[in-house]
Amino acid sequence: MNLLDPQGPVAAANSTILVDSVFIMLAIVVPTIFAILAFAFWFRASNPKAKFQPDFVYSGRVEMVVWAIPALTVILLGGVAWIGSHQLDPAAPVPGTGSPVRIQAVSLDWKWLFIYPDQRIATVNTLTVPAGAELNFQLTSSSVMNTFFIPQLGSMIYTMNGMVTKLNLRADNEGKLQGLSAHFSGDGFPDMMFDVNVVSPLAFPDWVATTAKSDAVLNEDSYKKLMQQGVEKGRPSYRLDDPRLFDLIATQHIPPGPGPELASEAGRSHSGGHDAR
């Protein structure tokens, strides 16, 4: 999950903004550190050349240096952030090769459900995508707010109950990446990790065909069992019975989960309620 080892164009742009911002800030931090050391050395008690000027109050040149350098730094940082944030709009298209892949992600307590509506399959805690293809994500939550983040692909983004968030990414190189939840959501939060398998465009249809032969079926009834609170240790896959399942979740036709509950009586009495959302 190395932020400085991007595997897609969005993550590469994020990495560039981060590195550029650090160097811009070093332009004021490094001279300031050297100035502190130089002033301390020059105005030491044993230096007879240092002039003692108790009546010194104002210098236009000093004021210009003191204010101009930080002002330029803020302008440069603001420009980098402004331009970068608009260019990296999560919903902006990310051109790729071949047909785009539509993926619907649902954050559960405490697992990730990935639905491929066009392929009529679904997986839990594992995401398989073809290299080079545009990935069109639609994200929502089954209960509390959460955060979807694949560090080496970029764009951390929130998932919220009753709301659909769009995110476009692309993975350029084959390999295995790691995704995670970046927003605390209860006891099982540390285990809300998922694998991201980037395969070749030719291998992706084979994976879809194999997954579609799964004996497990994902429908409204099996989803309600899946959304029960708990950590999923395996990587189950499903045949998707109803391609409208994500819409039913996002529009709350399937009632949302209760969210993490405080386990101890002391916690309930301290919070003044029976659950924390």
Side-chain angles (χ1 to χ4, degrees):
M1 295 190 288
N2 187 356
L3 291 170
L4 298 179
D5 182 25
Q7 299 297 314
V10 177
N14 285 332
S15 178
T16 300
I17 292 174
L18 176 62
V19 173
D20 289 349
S21 299
V22 170
F23 277 105
I24 291 172
M25 288 184 286
L26 287 177
I28 187 174
V29 172
V30 173
T32 300
I33 293 174
F34 278 107
I36 292 172
L37 297 175
F39 271 72
F41 176 78
W42 180 257
F43 289 101
R44 67 191 187 277
S46 60
N47 184 12
K49 296 181 180 180
K51 295 181 180 180
F52 178 59
Q53 297 176 295
D55 297 328
F56 177 83
V57 177
Y58 175 81
S59 170
R61 294 178 181 178
V62 172
E63 289 289 329
M64 177 176 288
V65 173
V66 168
W67 288 104
I69 296 178
L72 290 173
T73 303
V74 171
I75 291 171
L76 287 173
L77 280 175
V80 169
W82 175 272
I83 296 171
S85 61
H86 283 76
Q87 290 179 340
L88 295 176
D89 180 3
V94 181
T97 57
S99 301
V101 179
R102 192 158 58 106
I103 304 169
Q104 298 167 332
V106 184
S107 58
L108 307 169
D109 295 331
W110 293 275
K111 57 190 82 76
W112 289 94
L113 171 65
F114 299 104
I115 300 172
Y116 298 76
D118 300 325
Q119 288 77 22
R120 301 291 293 266
I121 58 175
T123 58
V124 174
N125 287 346
T126 183
L127 177 64
T128 302
V129 297
E134 181 178 352
L135 308 177
N136 304 139
F137 286 93
Q138 294 175 289
L139 304 107
T140 192
S141 173
S142 69
S143 59
V144 298
M145 183 169 67
N146 225 300
T147 307
F148 176 87
F149 188 30
I150 305 174
Q152 290 179 275
L153 295 186
S155 288
M156 179 191 302
I157 194 164
Y158 283 100
T159 64
M160 305 182 197
N161 184 255
M163 175 180 174
V164 176
T165 308
K166 294 182 179 180
L167 172 65
N168 293 324
L169 297 174
R170 192 182 79 213
D172 289 336
N173 304 309
E174 296 179 32
K176 188 172 183 178
L177 310 178
Q178 191 74 44
L180 71 157
S181 167
H183 191 285
F184 182 74
S185 58
D187 292 342
F189 162 74
D191 295 304
M192 281 195 70
M193 314 280 284
F194 59 92
D195 299 325
V196 182
N197 301 307
V198 184
V199 300
S200 70
L202 296 178
F204 182 71
D206 295 335
W207 172 81
V208 171
T210 302
T211 306
K213 297 177 182 178
S214 173
D215 295 331
V217 178
L218 183 64
N219 51 32
E220 187 172 339
D221 293 332
S222 57
Y223 169 76
K224 289 180 179 178
K225 295 180 180 178
L226 184 64
M227 70 182 292
Q228 295 177 2
Q229 291 181 359
V231 174
E232 180 64 57
K233 296 297 183 182
R235 299 289 188 268
S237 58
Y238 302 87
R239 287 183 290 111
L240 183 61
D241 186 43
D242 186 357
R244 302 173 304 157
L245 180 63
F246 181 83
D247 296 329
L248 297 176
I249 299 170
T251 57
Q252 299 184 338
H253 281 78
I254 299 178
E261 297 183 354
L262 295 179
S264 66
E265 194 65 34
R268 293 191 183 97
S269 61
H270 178 72
S271 66
H274 293 286
D275 56 56
R277 302 188 180 187

